[in-house]
């Protein structure tokens, strides 16, 4: 084995734990909010947003969920940057993933207002923000969602350039599907009836679509980096 190959394998070994953070962040985040939502009295998985789980006595669980997922994804963004360097490098992709990670941290720090009657006893629809931290939560969340969509299309172009048509198509589909589902969710949260009854479902569909793409991207690059096999000529 040449010195150059040993160096690349060593770099892949250092990058692997960072990419692994990206593999586990999504499943951990989704599993946590699904279990927490199912166990919370008065909480409707179809109607209420994930962020509402940060309210109430057990709200610390979702706050911790945001923070842990954010830190794991931030580590992934660093690993993503390193893993892409042998392919010609990429600045915008890792940077946008880092924005997603910082948005998760912000969502954990700035808690939302009640929405769609949760917690029990609150109005079905609030006409204005009741707190500055709720306004910050929504602003940060919007920027975070936009960053993920843009990241999908950045990688669509990147994968197309690398000749990976399947990943290019999957990245484009993720960006479109995430946008549609999140738009339907946002429209529902602004209504007292109609889409409001499914706004939480649409949001969960969008979040799961986004996290699946991020986790699979991390897994794809983890194997391609050479951590589990010799580096190919293409890498």
């Amino acid at each position: 084995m040449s010195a150059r190959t040993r160096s690349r394998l060593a770099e892949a070994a250092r990058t692997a734990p960072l990419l692994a953070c990206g593999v586990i962040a999504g499943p951990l985040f989704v599993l946590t909010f699904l279990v927490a939502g199912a166990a919370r009295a008065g909480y409707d998985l179809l109607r209420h947003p994930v962020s509402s789980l940060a309210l109430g006595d057990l709200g610390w669980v979702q706050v911790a969920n945001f923070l842990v997922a954010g830190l794991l994804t931030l580590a992934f963004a660093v690993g993503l940057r390193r893993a892409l360097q042998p392919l010609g490098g990429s600045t915008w992709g890792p940077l946008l993933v880092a924005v997603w990670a910082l948005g998760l941290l912000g969502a954990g720090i700035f808690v939302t207002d009640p929405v769609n009657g949760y917690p029990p006893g609150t109005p079905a629809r609030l006409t204005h923000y009741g707190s500055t931290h709720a306004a910050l939560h929504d602003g940060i969340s919007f920027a975070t969602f936009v960053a993920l969509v843009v990241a999908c299309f950045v990688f669509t172009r990147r994968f197309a350039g690398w000749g990976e048509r399947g990943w290019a198509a999957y990245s484009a589909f993720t960006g479109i599907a995430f946008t549609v589902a999140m738009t339907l969710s946002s429209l529902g949260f602004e209504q007292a009836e109609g889409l409001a009854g499914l706004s939480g479902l649409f949001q969960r569909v969008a979040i799961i679509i986004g996290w699946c793409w991020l986790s699979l991207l991390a897994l794809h690059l983890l194997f391609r980096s050479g951590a589990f096999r010799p580096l190919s000529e293409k890498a």
Side-chain angles (χ1 to χ4, degrees):
M1 182 182 295
S2 67
R4 181 180 179 183
T5 299
R6 287 196 298 271
S7 176
R8 295 176 71 183
L9 288 174
E11 179 62 25
R14 290 191 293 268
T15 302
L18 299 174
L19 295 176
C21 288
V23 175
I24 65 176
L28 179 62
F29 184 83
V30 171
L31 179 62
T32 299
F33 77 64
L34 288 177
V35 172
R40 193 74 64 86
Y43 186 85
D44 187 345
L45 295 172
L46 300 180
R47 185 180 183 87
H48 299 129
V50 170
S51 296
S52 291
L53 288 169
L55 302 172
D57 294 338
L58 295 176
W60 65 269
V61 174
Q62 183 55 34
V63 169
N65 195 25
F66 277 127
L67 297 178
V68 170
L71 292 173
L72 288 172
T73 308
L74 198 58
F76 168 53
V78 176
L80 184 59
R81 173 63 175 160
R82 293 182 182 179
L84 293 177
Q85 286 179 344
L87 301 173
S90 176
T91 299
W92 281 106
L95 179 61
L96 290 164
V97 172
V99 172
W100 167 267
L102 292 174
L104 291 167
L105 295 174
I109 295 170
F110 302 107
V111 181
T112 188
D113 273 343
V115 177
N116 284 353
Y118 185 84
T122 58
R125 181 170 181 262
L126 298 180
T127 58
H128 61 278
Y129 288 112
S131 60
T132 301
H133 57 76
L136 288 170
H137 177 93
D138 284 2
I140 291 171
S141 296
F142 177 77
T144 301
F145 296 148
V146 171
L148 181 62
V149 171
V150 176
C152 289
F153 292 116
V154 166
F155 277 100
T156 296
R157 181 174 176 274
R158 283 289 180 178
F159 279 119
W162 295 327
E164 298 192 40
R165 296 181 179 179
W167 266 97
Y170 176 43
S171 298
F173 167 80
T174 298
I176 294 170
F178 182 91
T179 300
V180 171
M182 192 57 70
T183 299
L184 292 173
S185 175
S186 298
L187 291 174
F189 291 136
E190 294 175 358
Q191 300 176 9
E193 298 179 356
L195 287 175
L198 295 174
S199 52
L201 174 62
F202 288 130
Q203 189 194 62
R204 280 165 176 74
V205 169
I207 290 173
I208 290 172
I209 287 173
W211 274 121
C212 280
W213 179 75
L214 285 168
S215 293
L216 291 175
L217 175 63
L219 188 63
H220 177 64
L221 292 174
L222 186 60
F223 278 93
R224 186 171 183 173
S225 70
F228 299 128
R229 61 177 175 80
L231 289 171
S232 65
E233 290 298 323
K234 188 175 182 179

